[in-house]
Amino acid sequence: MSAPTHLAYDYPLLSAFWTMLWFFLWIMWFILLFRIINDIFRDDRLSGWAKTGWLVFCVVLPFLGVFVYVIARGRNMGRREVSQARARQEEFDAYVRQTAAGGRPSSVDELARLSEIRAHGDITDEEFRRAKELVLTGHGPAEHADSTARTPTR
C-alpha cells in the first residue's frame, strides 16, 4: 500500500505563500525591467543604435536581455541615477535662487542704492533723508513714485 504523497502546494497556507512569492517576484521583475529601460534612455554615452539594440534585446528576450544588461552595465546604473538626481537638485536650487532674487529688493538694498546715488552727487542730502525715511517706514521710493505719478499736479 502506498500512502498518498502531499506536496507543499497542497496545503492552503503554503499555497498562499507560493502565490504571494511568485506575485512579488513578478512585480519585482517589472520594476527591474522598467528601471533598465529608463537607464537605457538616460545614458547619454550610448548612441541611438546602441539604445535601440539594448531595448530590442530587453523586449524580445526579456529575461536574458535584463540579466545581460545588469551584468554588462549594472555597475554604472546607480551612478547615472545619482548624477541625474544631483543635476535635477542643482536645477531646482538655481531656480529657487533666481526666483528669490527676482522679488522686491529689501530695505537694506534700497538704502545701499540710495547711498550710492548720494555719493555720486545725483541727489542732495535732504532728498536722501526723505527717501531714507520712506524706505524705513515701509513706503519705498518705488511706491512713493507710483503714488505721486497717480496724483494730478496743479
Side-chain angles (χ1 to χ4, degrees), residues 5-42:
T5 306
H6 294 286
L7 298 175
Y9 57 84
D10 288 337
Y11 299 105
L13 183 61
L14 290 177
S15 177
F17 170 75
W18 284 111
T19 302
M20 289 181 355
L21 178 68
W22 283 111
F23 184 72
F24 175 75
L25 291 174
W26 184 68
I27 295 295
M28 288 302 297
W29 174 256
F30 277 107
I31 290 172
L32 181 62
L33 180 66
F34 292 141
R35 287 195 60 179
I36 286 176
I37 290 172
N38 189 21
D39 188 62
I40 289 170
F41 286 112
R42 179 188 307 138

Side-chain angles (χ1 to χ4, degrees), residues 1 18 27 32 40 46 48 54 66 69-70 75 79 84 92-93 95-96 100 112 114 125 127 129 139 144:
M1 243 173 145
W18 284 111
I27 295 295
L32 181 62
I40 289 170
L46 284 178
W54 277 113
V66 167
Y69 188 87
V70 168
R75 177 183 296 177
R79 292 179 188 156
Q84 184 184 23
F92 177 74
D93 292 344
Y95 171 75
V96 167
L114 283 172
D125 287 337
E127 290 172 328
R129 187 188 57 76
H139 304 290
H144 182 67

Side-chain angles (χ1 to χ4, degrees), residues 53-79:
W54 277 113
L55 193 61
V56 167
F57 191 35
C58 287
V59 170
V60 172
L61 299 170
F63 290 107
L64 184 62
V66 167
F67 290 141
V68 170
Y69 188 87
V70 168
I71 291 169
R73 300 180 47 85
R75 177 183 296 177
N76 293 327
M77 281 178 65
R79 292 179 188 156

Side-chain angles (χ1 to χ4, degrees), residues 114-115 117-129 131:
L114 283 172
S115 296
I117 293 172
R118 184 181 68 172
H120 289 303
D122 294 335
I123 59 174
T124 64
D125 287 337
E126 179 60 28
E127 290 172 328
F128 174 77
R129 187 188 57 76

